[in-house]
Amino acid sequence: SRKCRDKPSLWDSFQDPPSKNKSGSDVDWKKLQFFLKLFKLCVYLLVFAVVLATSVLAQLLYLYMAGNTGGGEGPRVQVCRKYLLLPSGGEVVAARNKLDQIAWVWALIFAFAAPELLTFLRSLRICLFKREQRPSGLEVGLVTLFELLHVVGLALLTFTVLPALDVTRGAMLGCCVCFVPALLNLLTGTRLHWKSVDSLVLGLSILALVAQGSAFLLWPSMSERLEVQLLTIPLLLVSFRWWENFANTHEALAYIIRTIRCTRSRYHTYLYLAPLKVVVFAGMGFLLHGQDFVEYFSRFLDAWRPHLITLVQIGGDSVALNSTLGNSSIRAQPPRTQFTMQSSPHAVVYALAVQVVAAYLCHVFGKFACKIKIQVFSYALPLSLAGPTAVCVVTYLAQLRAADPCSLHGLLPDYLGLQALAGNAEELGQRCLDLALWLWPLWWLGQVWTCLHIWQPHNDKNAQTEKLFVCPWYCGLLVDQCSMMNRRIVDWSEEYLAIKSDLTAPRDPVVALAADINASRDILEEDKVPQLIVCATMWHETEDEMMEFLKSIVRLDEDQCARRMAKTHLNGGKPDDEYYELETNIFFDDAFVLDPRQCQNKRNPPVNEYVKTLTRTIDKAAFEVYGVNIRLKPPLKIETPYGGRLVWTLPGRTKMVAHLKNKDKIRHKKRWSQVMYMYYLLGYRIMETEQLSPRRKAVIAENTFILALDGDIDFQPRAVQLLIDRMKAVDELGAACGRIHPVGRGPMVWYQRFEYAIGHWLQKATEHVIGCVLCSPGCFSLFRASALMENSVMKRYTMVSSEAMKMVQYDQGEDRWLCTLILKAGSRVEYCAASDAYTHAPESFNEFYNQRRRWVPSTIANIFDILADADTVVKKNNSISTMYIWYQGMLMIGTVLGPGTIFLMMVGALVAVFTIDIWTAFLWNVFPILFFILACVYLKQKFQLLIAFVVSSLYCLVMMAVLIGITVQIMEDGPLAPASLFFLLVAVQITIAGLMHPQEFWALLCGVIYYITIPSMYMLLMIFSVFNMNDVSWGTREAPVLKDDDKDEPGNEEHHLPGWLNDPLLIDSELGEIPLAEQRFWKDMIKQYLKPLELSREQKQAMADGLKELRNMIAFAFVMVNAIFVLIVFLLQLKKEFLHLKWPIDPTDFVSFDRDNLTVGIYRQYKELDPIGLCFVIFFGLILIIQFIAMFFHRFATMCQLLATTRVDWFRSGGQFTDEDAAHELKGSAVNIARKLQRPKRLFDEDEEEHHYDELMLEASRSGSGEHRESMVRRQTIFRLHESRNKQHSDYSNLVFNFERRFFGDDDLNLQNLALNRKSVKLFQKRRSEAKVNAATTPGGTPTPKAGKRPPLVPKKVSFNAVNRNSMQIYDNGGYEHTEF
């Protein structure tokens, strides 16, 4: 029958499904994710325990230290007599000691000064290595006023109030230092943030304020001591520090708020304010403590040394005591019953050190919890519990000590104590009633209510410290209260954007603040949604390279579709935190065959084989990703002023547009492709949209990101998401790059694997930490649209390189030059190590040298550009400081002198290994180098590369001998010799760096290749690059465009290929057109910036002559500088016996015997270190130390980023799982659910209801032997082939339809692989049922199609002048696609 004839033949029914084995960008990710979840679970518990323990410990020690500063009128401490040889009877008490009190006063000052010192050091580092805006005098004055009020209040509390109170009430006072925040929260914050439950929240805020205020009246009214009666003043003044966080936008405070927030950071202010606060606190402490001011300094050292403590015995016989003591050091002093004992030598030091470390750890771990999004459990909960825990612990310890003086003998010195609330347990209850301590829980609840914002974090992942906290550091004496109230309520970016308007104009502050708020209401929520525009440049990529790129795009399309489906159907229209819109653009250089012998019609030229390869590879890429044949709709083909355009609709319904460039119509090469998409996407698509206000355009530009890619890149969606997270976290970030991994085969790729690893581990990480990255590689980088739209970036990037130096800088390293322009405009460039991408690396020696021949001159030119314009760069860019410029200058000196350094190293190595004289070693090295230089001057490149390959091979053999020689030398001279020590330190540093990057540790094995090729890569390659600077060709992928085989056959001199509009590959494609406005844009754009360069023969010759002249000048300077350097060092080396230093480490001792005189001589011989060698060690050692330290900081930041993006979803059961928890869990799992429902079934995968293969296998396992079972396993393929031929295949090319078919279908969904609680599953089923009902009752709702059927086609009318369209919708296929396919 006809039906049977249409089926594929059984003889050709065998399949080759894609392997499920992961490689490239997806290798080992599941294992890493498991370990990350396990690690984050441990981090949850660890951070919770550390924050709770350190905050309680810091508070206990603060009370202990303050209590021991009391004067002579304070209570005396009862001493344990168990460990004293005293007669029985009576009790022994320790009198107050002046030296002891001075020591404790200084300890409190040091405890207060510790975080201020850290504040000063951080401010100094940022002011040195970054450029921060200087604040106005009024801003400095306001900040200083409120900070000093806090310092005065803290000094009064520490040196006046706490010594007069018992430790229990002192701990309770910690909950009463938020009166001003509670008042401001009531006046300015309650109605702003709690509109829905206004009356209830307002009442609770009033109760919290009353509870805080009751502490001002309660104990002062019950005490006759002046210190306690003045309790109100310190509590009120201390709470002034955090007023700004709770002020918000109130009319009465509008002017102060706008003034105090003029600058984005206050490091310049705290550079002077931190020392001032320490001086004021110390002065207040000396004044309030009451001793002679001079004694605090004159007796400072005595106070910290062991001194005598006076003990007084009440009762007992002193005469009997003396006879008992005998030779003991303690002596009774009759007639008074006083004794002396020595103080503990380290009691104050230990208490101070533990208090400072505990407060520091509390702050650091708390900030860490906020950065990685575990704030609720590991920050808010322990800090809220710290107050009650501290009260209970300190009360228990004090009462234990009061009941038995010997109870804490091993923990605290006997002469120091904790002032207890009562003498015993019976008195404790009565004292609590007498002092109304039952009110303390209300004070604590008032504090919790005032700081309720810490339970509702809204910050981005890995947000900067300035975004998390108002003040840069913490208060060392009130660390838990400071951590809670210093945590920002309003997000820093929103808060800053609200006041970002011009502050220089004289405006009324109330009107100005209101105007800013009203203007911000013009911004829509959709304007803040990240718009991800992928822009890839292609030229002559192979099919395998295109395959990796297209697979990455298909995965990105799948991820975006899952988030869109989760937003639309599962989250009620609300996007998740990582939602983004997506569009892909490919800019294909030289896409047409323009040879007149093959092109019959210039208006319809044929596309080349590379474009055809792209067209054929898309379906294969989808098959590799989904494991099933995906039938994509043929692309829409459009004629454009620059050539043509192909528009695909990917399975996730995002667009992929290939812009085919005709080099006769538009300028070709990568830089002009970048200019092309910058002006099209940012100029035309954003700036030309008349419906958008300037403020909306600014917000859209801030949230529009261009992902620049090469045509061979391989990455995962999570890598892009990590870059977007960095963009969200750092507002001034203009570009971010990921970790690039070279892929390929052969020794050259192995070399690059280690080279890339070292470059990223050390160099890029250091640039990121102490400044910013100078180059974001174009193969995988994310750019912020607003940074590209800054002055002197896009506009300057369009400059035609009319001079030789500009051609080298602009066209040979376009990615680096673009980053140079971004840095000069003031934006920051960062390196995100967690974002991995894989790119094909040159596999042959010639291709590698040609690539680096292009990179090296452009790199040096761009860095010299920054160094030459350092003053302007430092002034404009906050991330670049003078110190960072010096660091880059040191690296540049090392780069320029690199060949000379390697030459000298080889001379020394030959002398040491082969035991030849220095002149012979010099000649052995100078002749090959001189020969290669002459070859670079007179021979063609192919001969230069041949000579370089031969010389490199010889040097590899020499370096192997050098490696063996160094090993022997280390064994002979020992590891502490200068050369041995430096070699070992470098090796250890690189090994530790590899251990810090466990996923890339195996790159260290390639270090052997890197080591033996050092002369080639740092000497020969540098010479080759400098002497071929006049060659501005691309150097890689220079293969000619493939042509048909019958072109050269006799009689076929002219074989015209079909035009691209009539190409057989595109014959089924529809023909579209672009809007008239876009046509006008492209024509004007080409005329203005992208018109093909038509240079005359004279102009080309002039440019070639200019490049040769530049080459000659640079090469001569390069050779002379290195020659002079080598000459100086070599001559100094010849005079080493006169010019050397003694190496003080590990000298050698010799013993000699003179037989004639019968004398024994003993002398010591030191190893020699010449001055030049010492300079090398210091120079390169300093760079290595800086890079090594910076690597640790960067690894910690990377760990924070990975933890912040990891969600622990293992614990989903328990009776305490509420409906709110189910809704929260379902929201967090919505994307994974959508991804599971939309993903096509892989080839040969079974439907949920089909179990016949499993039943067959079960029967076989019951009835047969092992051999029979293996046979049945093999027979599954035959059964599946037959069934696959007979059954009707479903169409899975539309992920949206796949999702809706399953979501709105009647079949039960299999969610077993998703870790969901039962309540979450029920909630999902409920929402699914509601969605079905709504879809059925809503006209035009989503139908429920049957399996294997396409949804009904709904024609749509497209208008190019639609009013309601955002920046991404402007190009929503432009009416190209009239059917949902």
PDB file of all heavy atoms in Angstrom, residues 339-365:
ATOM      1  N   PHE A 339      47.323  40.139 102.037  1.00  0.00           N
ATOM      2  CA  PHE A 339      48.320  39.327 101.364  1.00  0.00           C
ATOM      3  C   PHE A 339      48.475  39.844  99.933  1.00  0.00           C
ATOM      4  O   PHE A 339      47.661  40.657  99.465  1.00  0.00           O
ATOM      5  CB  PHE A 339      47.905  37.854 101.340  1.00  0.00           C
ATOM      6  CG  PHE A 339      47.369  37.371 102.660  1.00  0.00           C
ATOM      7  CD1 PHE A 339      46.005  37.374 102.911  1.00  0.00           C
ATOM      8  CD2 PHE A 339      48.226  36.919 103.646  1.00  0.00           C
ATOM      9  CE1 PHE A 339      45.510  36.927 104.123  1.00  0.00           C
ATOM     10  CE2 PHE A 339      47.735  36.476 104.856  1.00  0.00           C
ATOM     11  CZ  PHE A 339      46.370  36.482 105.096  1.00  0.00           C
ATOM     12  N   THR A 340      49.464  39.368  99.269  1.00  0.00           N
ATOM     13  CA  THR A 340      49.661  39.743  97.855  1.00  0.00           C
ATOM     14  C   THR A 340      49.854  38.483  97.015  1.00  0.00           C
ATOM     15  O   THR A 340      50.410  37.500  97.482  1.00  0.00           O
ATOM     16  CB  THR A 340      50.896  40.648  97.673  1.00  0.00           C
ATOM     17  OG1 THR A 340      52.042  39.975  98.161  1.00  0.00           O
ATOM     18  CG2 THR A 340      50.711  41.970  98.399  1.00  0.00           C
ATOM     19  N   MET A 341      49.370  38.563  95.808  1.00  0.00           N
ATOM     20  CA  MET A 341      49.579  37.492  94.829  1.00  0.00           C
ATOM     21  C   MET A 341      49.867  38.125  93.478  1.00  0.00           C
ATOM     22  O   MET A 341      49.509  39.274  93.221  1.00  0.00           O
ATOM     23  CB  MET A 341      48.365  36.565  94.751  1.00  0.00           C
ATOM     24  CG  MET A 341      47.125  37.199  94.160  1.00  0.00           C
ATOM     25  SD  MET A 341      45.745  36.055  93.993  1.00  0.00           S
ATOM     26  CE  MET A 341      46.427  34.897  92.836  1.00  0.00           C
ATOM     27  N   GLN A 342      50.532  37.381  92.663  1.00  0.00           N
ATOM     28  CA  GLN A 342      50.916  37.904  91.346  1.00  0.00           C
ATOM     29  C   GLN A 342      49.746  37.791  90.377  1.00  0.00           C
ATOM     30  O   GLN A 342      49.023  36.787  90.342  1.00  0.00           O
ATOM     31  CB  GLN A 342      52.125  37.144  90.810  1.00  0.00           C
ATOM     32  CG  GLN A 342      52.790  37.801  89.610  1.00  0.00           C
ATOM     33  CD  GLN A 342      54.016  37.056  89.155  1.00  0.00           C
ATOM     34  OE1 GLN A 342      53.943  35.873  88.864  1.00  0.00           O
ATOM     35  NE2 GLN A 342      55.147  37.736  89.120  1.00  0.00           N
ATOM     36  N   SER A 343      49.552  38.832  89.558  1.00  0.00           N
ATOM     37  CA  SER A 343      48.473  38.827  88.570  1.00  0.00           C
ATOM     38  C   SER A 343      48.806  37.876  87.431  1.00  0.00           C
ATOM     39  O   SER A 343      49.956  37.525  87.192  1.00  0.00           O
ATOM     40  CB  SER A 343      48.254  40.230  88.023  1.00  0.00           C
ATOM     41  OG  SER A 343      49.405  40.668  87.314  1.00  0.00           O
ATOM     42  N   SER A 344      47.772  37.485  86.744  1.00  0.00           N
ATOM     43  CA  SER A 344      47.961  36.614  85.576  1.00  0.00           C
ATOM     44  C   SER A 344      48.639  37.408  84.475  1.00  0.00           C
ATOM     45  O   SER A 344      48.186  38.502  84.114  1.00  0.00           O
ATOM     46  CB  SER A 344      46.617  36.079  85.085  1.00  0.00           C
ATOM     47  OG  SER A 344      46.778  35.320  83.915  1.00  0.00           O
ATOM     48  N   PRO A 345      49.719  36.909  83.916  1.00  0.00           N
ATOM     49  CA  PRO A 345      50.482  37.716  82.950  1.00  0.00           C
ATOM     50  C   PRO A 345      49.762  37.958  81.625  1.00  0.00           C
ATOM     51  O   PRO A 345      50.072  38.904  80.921  1.00  0.00           O
ATOM     52  CB  PRO A 345      51.763  36.901  82.745  1.00  0.00           C
ATOM     53  CG  PRO A 345      51.388  35.501  83.084  1.00  0.00           C
ATOM     54  CD  PRO A 345      50.341  35.596  84.158  1.00  0.00           C
ATOM     55  N   HIS A 346      48.798  37.092  81.257  1.00  0.00           N
ATOM     56  CA  HIS A 346      48.176  37.203  79.937  1.00  0.00           C
ATOM     57  C   HIS A 346      46.656  37.321  80.006  1.00  0.00           C
ATOM     58  O   HIS A 346      46.001  37.157  78.970  1.00  0.00           O
ATOM     59  CB  HIS A 346      48.540  35.994  79.076  1.00  0.00           C
ATOM     60  CG  HIS A 346      50.007  35.759  78.951  1.00  0.00           C
ATOM     61  ND1 HIS A 346      50.861  36.669  78.378  1.00  0.00           N
ATOM     62  CD2 HIS A 346      50.787  34.704  79.352  1.00  0.00           C
ATOM     63  CE1 HIS A 346      52.099  36.194  78.404  1.00  0.00           C
ATOM     64  NE2 HIS A 346      52.089  35.012  78.996  1.00  0.00           N
ATOM     65  N   ALA A 347      46.093  37.587  81.142  1.00  0.00           N
ATOM     66  CA  ALA A 347      44.629  37.620  81.260  1.00  0.00           C
ATOM     67  C   ALA A 347      44.031  38.700  80.372  1.00  0.00           C
ATOM     68  O   ALA A 347      43.072  38.453  79.623  1.00  0.00           O
ATOM     69  CB  ALA A 347      44.241  37.839  82.720  1.00  0.00           C
ATOM     70  N   VAL A 348      44.577  39.911  80.427  1.00  0.00           N
ATOM     71  CA  VAL A 348      44.029  41.018  79.634  1.00  0.00           C
ATOM     72  C   VAL A 348      44.282  40.780  78.146  1.00  0.00           C
ATOM     73  O   VAL A 348      43.406  41.030  77.308  1.00  0.00           O
ATOM     74  CB  VAL A 348      44.651  42.347  80.101  1.00  0.00           C
ATOM     75  CG1 VAL A 348      44.052  43.517  79.329  1.00  0.00           C
ATOM     76  CG2 VAL A 348      44.437  42.547  81.587  1.00  0.00           C
ATOM     77  N   VAL A 349      45.469  40.292  77.828  1.00  0.00           N
ATOM     78  CA  VAL A 349      45.803  40.068  76.411  1.00  0.00           C
ATOM     79  C   VAL A 349      44.886  39.021  75.799  1.00  0.00           C
ATOM     80  O   VAL A 349      44.362  39.199  74.688  1.00  0.00           O
ATOM     81  CB  VAL A 349      47.278  39.651  76.277  1.00  0.00           C
ATOM     82  CG1 VAL A 349      47.606  39.319  74.826  1.00  0.00           C
ATOM     83  CG2 VAL A 349      48.190  40.743  76.789  1.00  0.00           C
ATOM     84  N   TYR A 350      44.674  37.916  76.525  1.00  0.00           N
ATOM     85  CA  TYR A 350      43.805  36.869  76.001  1.00  0.00           C
ATOM     86  C   TYR A 350      42.373  37.361  75.820  1.00  0.00           C
ATOM     87  O   TYR A 350      41.720  37.097  74.799  1.00  0.00           O
ATOM     88  CB  TYR A 350      43.825  35.658  76.929  1.00  0.00           C
ATOM     89  CG  TYR A 350      45.113  34.869  76.889  1.00  0.00           C
ATOM     90  CD1 TYR A 350      45.471  34.001  77.915  1.00  0.00           C
ATOM     91  CD2 TYR A 350      45.989  34.980  75.810  1.00  0.00           C
ATOM     92  CE1 TYR A 350      46.656  33.273  77.881  1.00  0.00           C
ATOM     93  CE2 TYR A 350      47.167  34.265  75.765  1.00  0.00           C
ATOM     94  CZ  TYR A 350      47.504  33.420  76.799  1.00  0.00           C
ATOM     95  OH  TYR A 350      48.680  32.708  76.744  1.00  0.00           O
ATOM     96  N   ALA A 351      41.862  38.076  76.807  1.00  0.00           N
ATOM     97  CA  ALA A 351      40.487  38.592  76.705  1.00  0.00           C
ATOM     98  C   ALA A 351      40.356  39.550  75.532  1.00  0.00           C
ATOM     99  O   ALA A 351      39.376  39.495  74.763  1.00  0.00           O
ATOM    100  CB  ALA A 351      40.094  39.280  78.011  1.00  0.00           C
ATOM    101  N   LEU A 352      41.327  40.446  75.379  1.00  0.00           N
ATOM    102  CA  LEU A 352      41.284  41.399  74.267  1.00  0.00           C
ATOM    103  C   LEU A 352      41.369  40.682  72.926  1.00  0.00           C
ATOM    104  O   LEU A 352      40.581  40.968  72.002  1.00  0.00           O
ATOM    105  CB  LEU A 352      42.437  42.392  74.411  1.00  0.00           C
ATOM    106  CG  LEU A 352      42.673  43.334  73.232  1.00  0.00           C
ATOM    107  CD1 LEU A 352      41.464  44.228  73.016  1.00  0.00           C
ATOM    108  CD2 LEU A 352      43.937  44.160  73.447  1.00  0.00           C
ATOM    109  N   ALA A 353      42.305  39.745  72.800  1.00  0.00           N
ATOM    110  CA  ALA A 353      42.476  39.050  71.523  1.00  0.00           C
ATOM    111  C   ALA A 353      41.235  38.255  71.150  1.00  0.00           C
ATOM    112  O   ALA A 353      40.775  38.297  70.003  1.00  0.00           O
ATOM    113  CB  ALA A 353      43.702  38.132  71.598  1.00  0.00           C
ATOM    114  N   VAL A 354      40.664  37.548  72.104  1.00  0.00           N
ATOM    115  CA  VAL A 354      39.476  36.740  71.816  1.00  0.00           C
ATOM    116  C   VAL A 354      38.300  37.644  71.460  1.00  0.00           C
ATOM    117  O   VAL A 354      37.524  37.337  70.544  1.00  0.00           O
ATOM    118  CB  VAL A 354      39.152  35.831  73.014  1.00  0.00           C
ATOM    119  CG1 VAL A 354      37.834  35.104  72.789  1.00  0.00           C
ATOM    120  CG2 VAL A 354      40.271  34.828  73.225  1.00  0.00           C
ATOM    121  N   GLN A 355      38.155  38.765  72.150  1.00  0.00           N
ATOM    122  CA  GLN A 355      37.038  39.679  71.850  1.00  0.00           C
ATOM    123  C   GLN A 355      37.176  40.270  70.455  1.00  0.00           C
ATOM    124  O   GLN A 355      36.204  40.331  69.691  1.00  0.00           O
ATOM    125  CB  GLN A 355      36.993  40.795  72.900  1.00  0.00           C
ATOM    126  CG  GLN A 355      35.643  41.498  73.021  1.00  0.00           C
ATOM    127  CD  GLN A 355      35.429  42.556  71.941  1.00  0.00           C
ATOM    128  OE1 GLN A 355      36.376  43.073  71.376  1.00  0.00           O
ATOM    129  NE2 GLN A 355      34.162  42.853  71.673  1.00  0.00           N
ATOM    130  N   VAL A 356      38.376  40.692  70.097  1.00  0.00           N
ATOM    131  CA  VAL A 356      38.590  41.288  68.772  1.00  0.00           C
ATOM    132  C   VAL A 356      38.371  40.248  67.671  1.00  0.00           C
ATOM    133  O   VAL A 356      37.692  40.517  66.673  1.00  0.00           O
ATOM    134  CB  VAL A 356      40.006  41.891  68.692  1.00  0.00           C
ATOM    135  CG1 VAL A 356      40.345  42.282  67.258  1.00  0.00           C
ATOM    136  CG2 VAL A 356      40.126  43.095  69.608  1.00  0.00           C
ATOM    137  N   VAL A 357      38.920  39.062  67.859  1.00  0.00           N
ATOM    138  CA  VAL A 357      38.768  38.016  66.841  1.00  0.00           C
ATOM    139  C   VAL A 357      37.314  37.585  66.732  1.00  0.00           C
ATOM    140  O   VAL A 357      36.793  37.372  65.621  1.00  0.00           O
ATOM    141  CB  VAL A 357      39.673  36.815  67.180  1.00  0.00           C
ATOM    142  CG1 VAL A 357      39.381  35.646  66.256  1.00  0.00           C
ATOM    143  CG2 VAL A 357      41.135  37.213  67.076  1.00  0.00           C
ATOM    144  N   ALA A 358      36.606  37.456  67.866  1.00  0.00           N
ATOM    145  CA  ALA A 358      35.204  37.039  67.834  1.00  0.00           C
ATOM    146  C   ALA A 358      34.351  38.068  67.104  1.00  0.00           C
ATOM    147  O   ALA A 358      33.501  37.705  66.267  1.00  0.00           O
ATOM    148  CB  ALA A 358      34.693  36.832  69.265  1.00  0.00           C
ATOM    149  N   ALA A 359      34.550  39.349  67.399  1.00  0.00           N
ATOM    150  CA  ALA A 359      33.773  40.382  66.714  1.00  0.00           C
ATOM    151  C   ALA A 359      34.082  40.400  65.218  1.00  0.00           C
ATOM    152  O   ALA A 359      33.171  40.552  64.384  1.00  0.00           O
ATOM    153  CB  ALA A 359      34.067  41.743  67.339  1.00  0.00           C
ATOM    154  N   TYR A 360      35.347  40.248  64.879  1.00  0.00           N
ATOM    155  CA  TYR A 360      35.723  40.239  63.463  1.00  0.00           C
ATOM    156  C   TYR A 360      35.094  39.050  62.728  1.00  0.00           C
ATOM    157  O   TYR A 360      34.549  39.195  61.628  1.00  0.00           O
ATOM    158  CB  TYR A 360      37.241  40.203  63.343  1.00  0.00           C
ATOM    159  CG  TYR A 360      37.739  40.083  61.925  1.00  0.00           C
ATOM    160  CD1 TYR A 360      37.741  41.175  61.067  1.00  0.00           C
ATOM    161  CD2 TYR A 360      38.194  38.863  61.430  1.00  0.00           C
ATOM    162  CE1 TYR A 360      38.189  41.063  59.767  1.00  0.00           C
ATOM    163  CE2 TYR A 360      38.651  38.742  60.132  1.00  0.00           C
ATOM    164  CZ  TYR A 360      38.650  39.843  59.303  1.00  0.00           C
ATOM    165  OH  TYR A 360      39.081  39.724  58.003  1.00  0.00           O
ATOM    166  N   LEU A 361      35.162  37.859  63.325  1.00  0.00           N
ATOM    167  CA  LEU A 361      34.580  36.681  62.690  1.00  0.00           C
ATOM    168  C   LEU A 361      33.072  36.813  62.559  1.00  0.00           C
ATOM    169  O   LEU A 361      32.484  36.382  61.564  1.00  0.00           O
ATOM    170  CB  LEU A 361      34.938  35.432  63.485  1.00  0.00           C
ATOM    171  CG  LEU A 361      36.412  35.006  63.454  1.00  0.00           C
ATOM    172  CD1 LEU A 361      36.623  33.776  64.321  1.00  0.00           C
ATOM    173  CD2 LEU A 361      36.869  34.730  62.035  1.00  0.00           C
ATOM    174  N   CYS A 362      32.437  37.403  63.551  1.00  0.00           N
ATOM    175  CA  CYS A 362      30.987  37.609  63.469  1.00  0.00           C
ATOM    176  C   CYS A 362      30.638  38.492  62.276  1.00  0.00           C
ATOM    177  O   CYS A 362      29.709  38.186  61.527  1.00  0.00           O
ATOM    178  CB  CYS A 362      30.480  38.227  64.770  1.00  0.00           C
ATOM    179  SG  CYS A 362      28.711  38.547  64.791  1.00  0.00           S
ATOM    180  N   HIS A 363      31.370  39.558  62.107  1.00  0.00           N
ATOM    181  CA  HIS A 363      31.096  40.457  60.979  1.00  0.00           C
ATOM    182  C   HIS A 363      31.403  39.787  59.645  1.00  0.00           C
ATOM    183  O   HIS A 363      30.601  39.858  58.707  1.00  0.00           O
ATOM    184  CB  HIS A 363      31.927  41.724  61.132  1.00  0.00           C
ATOM    185  CG  HIS A 363      31.893  42.610  59.920  1.00  0.00           C
ATOM    186  ND1 HIS A 363      30.809  43.397  59.597  1.00  0.00           N
ATOM    187  CD2 HIS A 363      32.815  42.821  58.937  1.00  0.00           C
ATOM    188  CE1 HIS A 363      31.053  44.050  58.487  1.00  0.00           C
ATOM    189  NE2 HIS A 363      32.261  43.714  58.062  1.00  0.00           N
ATOM    190  N   VAL A 364      32.559  39.135  59.541  1.00  0.00           N
ATOM    191  CA  VAL A 364      32.975  38.550  58.272  1.00  0.00           C
ATOM    192  C   VAL A 364      32.038  37.420  57.858  1.00  0.00           C
ATOM    193  O   VAL A 364      31.594  37.349  56.714  1.00  0.00           O
ATOM    194  CB  VAL A 364      34.429  38.055  58.365  1.00  0.00           C
ATOM    195  CG1 VAL A 364      34.793  37.216  57.159  1.00  0.00           C
ATOM    196  CG2 VAL A 364      35.377  39.233  58.484  1.00  0.00           C
ATOM    197  N   PHE A 365      31.705  36.538  58.789  1.00  0.00           N
ATOM    198  CA  PHE A 365      30.809  35.434  58.453  1.00  0.00           C
ATOM    199  C   PHE A 365      29.400  35.948  58.178  1.00  0.00           C
ATOM    200  O   PHE A 365      28.679  35.387  57.350  1.00  0.00           O
ATOM    201  CB  PHE A 365      30.806  34.402  59.578  1.00  0.00           C
ATOM    202  CG  PHE A 365      31.918  33.407  59.487  1.00  0.00           C
ATOM    203  CD1 PHE A 365      33.193  33.714  59.934  1.00  0.00           C
ATOM    204  CD2 PHE A 365      31.714  32.157  58.937  1.00  0.00           C
ATOM    205  CE1 PHE A 365      34.227  32.810  59.843  1.00  0.00           C
ATOM    206  CE2 PHE A 365      32.734  31.233  58.836  1.00  0.00           C
ATOM    207  CZ  PHE A 365      34.002  31.562  59.288  1.00  0.00           C
TER     208      PHE A 365
END
